[in-house]
């Protein structure tokens, strides 16, 4: 059973209370999380590879700045959602390796979020490229 007597007004000693030190520490925690995901999550590695290809492509395509922003932003959204999904999966597995319908549901919901983020990429890229073709800035 979880301990119920926590004083939530106290800050843990290993936590920074704010200011530049907090921002500095948060940056390194972020790098550790990204590095851990690159090492342990094949889906994240695949999506990073996709980002490394699609972001320069978006920059080079003859679309407006707003189109570029939508295309690149949709890629970053996939990476964010994948990181959150991986964190959810690791947390569920940490709590229990037992197969449980609630654990499956939580993991499936995380996977669904990644699916929608990827669908968003397809929609954003499709709309921006369609507009560029319609306006004659891009042809195949």
């Amino acid at each position: 059973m979880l301990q119920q007597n926590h004083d939530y007004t106290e800050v843990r000693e290993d936590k920074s209370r704010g200011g530049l030190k907090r921002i500095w520490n948060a940056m390194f925690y972020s790098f550790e999380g990204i590095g851990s995901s690159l090492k342990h999550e094949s889906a994240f590695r695949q999506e990073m590879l996709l980002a490394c290809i699609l972001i320069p492509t978006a920059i080079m395509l003859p679309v407006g700045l707003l189109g570029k922003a939508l295309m690149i932003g949709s890629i970053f959204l996939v990476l964010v959602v994948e990181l959150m999904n991986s964190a959810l999966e690791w947390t569920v597995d940490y709590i229990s390796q037992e197969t449980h319908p609630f654990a499956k549901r939580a993991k499936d919901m995380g996977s669904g979020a990644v699916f929608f983020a990827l669908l968003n990429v397809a929609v954003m890229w499709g709309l921006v490229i369609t507009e560029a073709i319609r306006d004659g800035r891009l042809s195949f």
Side-chain angles (χ1 to χ4, degrees), residues 14 22 24 55 63 65 83-84 118 121 136-137:
D14 64 329
R22 184 196 63 78
W24 184 257
I55 290 173
V63 299
L65 290 176
L83 285 169
M84 297 302 295
L118 289 167
V121 169
R137 291 178 276 141

Side-chain angles (χ1 to χ4, degrees), residues 26-138:
M27 181 179 69
F28 284 101
Y29 297 146
S30 298
F31 292 155
E32 286 181 29
I34 293 166
S36 178
S37 293
L38 285 168
K39 181 177 179 182
H40 299 287
E41 298 293 328
S42 61
F44 187 72
R45 286 192 300 274
Q46 292 167 350
E47 290 154 354
M48 281 294 286
L49 176 62
L50 186 70
C52 289
I53 294 167
L54 291 180
I55 290 173
T57 301
I59 292 168
M60 292 185 297
L61 282 173
V63 299
L65 290 176
L66 183 57
K68 290 178 191 301
L70 289 170
M71 295 166 89
I72 293 169
S74 68
I75 299 298
F76 279 118
L77 180 64
V78 168
L79 297 175
V80 168
V81 174
E82 184 62 50
L83 285 169
M84 297 302 295
N85 181 49
S86 295
L88 172 77
E89 288 182 353
W90 280 88
T91 301
V92 168
D93 290 345
Y94 172 76
I95 292 170
S96 175
Q97 291 289 315
E98 173 188 337
T99 302
H100 189 280
F102 292 173
K104 180 184 182 330
R105 185 178 302 164
K107 288 182 171 189
D108 289 349
M109 288 175 177
S111 181
V114 174
F115 172 78
F116 279 125
L118 289 167
L119 184 61
N120 181 59
V121 169
V123 170
M124 291 298 111
W125 280 68
L127 291 173
V128 171
I129 289 171
T130 299
E131 181 183 49
I133 292 169
R134 187 195 66 202
D135 292 348
R137 291 178 276 141
L138 185 63

Side-chain angles (χ1 to χ4, degrees), residues 8-28:
Y8 292 106
T9 60
E10 293 294 317
V11 177
R12 290 186 354 215
E13 285 184 30
D14 64 329
K15 290 286 189 183
S16 171
R17 297 182 192 277
L20 292 177
K21 183 177 180 186
R22 184 196 63 78
I23 293 169
W24 184 257
N25 288 344
M27 181 179 69
F28 284 101

